[in-house]
Amino acid sequence: MVKDTKLFAGSSNAPLARAVAERLQVDLGKVQLSRFKSGEIYVHYEESIRNKDVYLLQSFSPPINEHFVELMIMADAAKRASARSVNAIIPYYGYARQEKKDAPREPISAKLVADVLATAGIERVVTLDLHAPAIQGFFNIAVDHLTALDIITKRLQEMHIEKPVIVSPDAGRAKTAEKLATYLDAPFAIMIKRRPAHNEAKVTHIVGEVAGRTPVIIEDMIDTGGTIVNVVEGLREKGALDAIVCATHPVFSDGAIARLDHPYIRKLIVTDTLPLPELLPDRYEVLTVAPLIAQGVEIIQHGGSISTLFRSGSGS
């Protein structure tokens, strides 16, 4: 990293921030993050950031609203301390599932969050695997949209899976699943489902042949785990073998880890965009995105194309 760059960690994912700093061969910047007795957030940078390019790493992990406001205040403090630029590294961009109106009188929260980030003084956002890639268009500032697909692909190739079939759990992930199928030289299937309520999904059809094959399910996030359980049970009914589940963002809310302790799930592969418990069941494997983020920051600072980080050469 160039000398005029500083990396600071919010309180959401300190282990990932430390790993990125190590990859960049820099020390994390010193910042005091505390709370008043009323619960209000206090931020104080304990070193000069005047004329520095400041990077703030903050994932929107639970409690998401707390971490979102903390990032806003960190950005405001950096701007008022005469930072040359303020850049937010948001490995998991929350509110991304509210990117359109599915019913009258609903908000488009993903757009609102994008507007607030810019209003707070953030000039660039670095994020991974947005729930909907079109969210990039909600920003009036620069967005570098990275993907963990190559990291996941490499691990799957190392596993030498016998007779895999790549499964998209819904139409929204079909393009990503198709890419993974191409990389692994495997067939492709897609689940058709309906959503009776938030965090609920019912599988109605499976398009593609899955009988006698190992399903590799690719998702951008796992929240409650209910959808994944429905998918693996639907696949088993069609004669599929135990599934391998892959996702970039392990949100794991509402008892998801226990729910995913399912006899039809052979392995779960996730990344560290969100903090995870130190002790996970053996079937979990956590891949780090720290090298990817560090390379992205280096390209931003030194110049070059973010697309060189991706196998397809077509990164956003």
Side-chain angles (χ1 to χ4, degrees):
M1 184 182 288
V2 294
K3 63 180 181 179
D4 289 334
T5 304
K6 291 285 187 180
L7 173 65
F8 294 91
S11 59
S12 68
N13 199 341
L16 178 59
R18 288 193 293 268
V20 172
E22 183 178 348
R23 289 281 178 171
L24 292 170
Q25 298 183 329
V26 298
D27 295 326
L28 273 179
K30 297 177 181 178
V31 59
Q32 178 187 352
L33 302 172
S34 60
R35 304 292 185 269
F36 293 104
K37 291 189 182 299
S38 63
E40 295 175 4
I41 297 168
Y42 175 75
V43 171
H44 176 247
Y45 291 97
E46 298 183 328
E47 57 186 285
S48 175
I49 54 175
R50 183 179 296 274
N51 295 325
K52 307 291 186 184
D53 292 316
V54 171
Y55 285 81
L56 309 174
L57 193 150
Q58 180 83 311
S59 207
F60 289 167
S61 59
I64 180 173
N65 299 326
E66 179 89 358
H67 291 145
F68 175 60
V69 175
E70 183 180 80
L71 176 60
M72 298 302 98
I73 296 175
M74 291 178 74
D76 183 74
K79 201 71 177 175
R80 294 178 189 278
S82 299
R84 180 165 57 202
S85 68
V86 181
N87 310 276
I89 302 171
I90 308 174
Y92 170 63
Y93 183 82
Y95 286 102
R97 284 173 285 183
Q98 299 178 46
E99 89 285 7
K100 61 184 183 298
K101 291 181 66 172
D102 290 320
R105 299 174 296 280
E106 285 187 341
I108 303 180
S109 304
K111 167 61 174 168
L112 173 65
V113 171
D115 289 343
V116 174
L117 289 169
T119 300
I122 292 169
E123 300 165 51
R124 177 185 296 272
V125 167
V126 180
T127 190
L128 278 86
D129 287 325
L130 289 166
H131 184 65
I135 291 172
Q136 296 170 83
F138 292 173
F139 289 86
N140 294 319
I141 57 177
V143 178
D144 290 302
H145 185 205
L146 311 181
T147 178
L149 183 60
D150 287 352
I151 298 171
I152 293 171
T153 299
K154 181 180 178 182
R155 180 65 189 106
L156 292 170
Q157 289 172 330
E158 292 169 350
M159 292 170 63
H160 302 291
I161 303 164
E162 187 174 351
K163 296 185 70 176
V165 57
I166 311 305
V167 177
S168 172
D170 54 39
R173 297 299 289 169
K175 185 175 180 181
T176 301
E178 187 179 10
K179 282 184 180 180
L180 182 57
T182 300
Y183 296 160
L184 297 181
D185 191 23
F188 166 74
I190 185 170
M191 315 291 286
I192 307 299
K193 63 188 181 185
R194 60 183 178 85
R195 290 191 175 275
H198 295 303
N199 294 116
E200 290 184 26
K202 300 290 185 182
V203 175
T204 58
H205 298 86
I206 300 175
V207 180
E209 183 57 51
V210 298
R213 291 187 170 274
T214 299
V216 179
I217 302 166
I218 183 71
E219 266 283 26
D220 62 318
M221 71 175 74
I222 302 175
D223 191 350
T224 65
T227 297
I228 294 296
V229 168
N230 288 334
V231 167
V232 298
E233 289 178 348
L235 290 165
R236 177 52 69 99
E237 289 176 3
K238 295 296 184 179
L241 305 178
D242 291 350
I244 297 170
V245 179
C246 307
T248 302
H249 307 299
V251 180
F252 290 165
S253 62
D254 191 32
I257 292 176
R259 190 173 293 110
L260 293 167
D261 185 20
H262 194 281
Y264 299 161
I265 297 177
R266 169 180 155 192
K267 193 175 189 66
L268 292 109
I269 299 174
V270 297
T271 79
D272 56 355
T273 59
L274 291 152
L276 288 165
E278 290 186 11
L279 296 177
L280 284 169
D282 291 340
R283 72 180 68 192
Y284 287 81
E285 183 171 350
V286 182
L287 309 177
T288 183
V289 295
L292 177 63
I293 293 173
Q295 287 176 295
V297 171
E298 287 176 337
I299 289 173
I300 292 166
Q301 289 303 115
H302 295 290
S305 173
I306 289 289
S307 66
T308 59
L309 297 177
F310 313 120
R311 179 189 301 235
S312 65
S314 59
S316 302

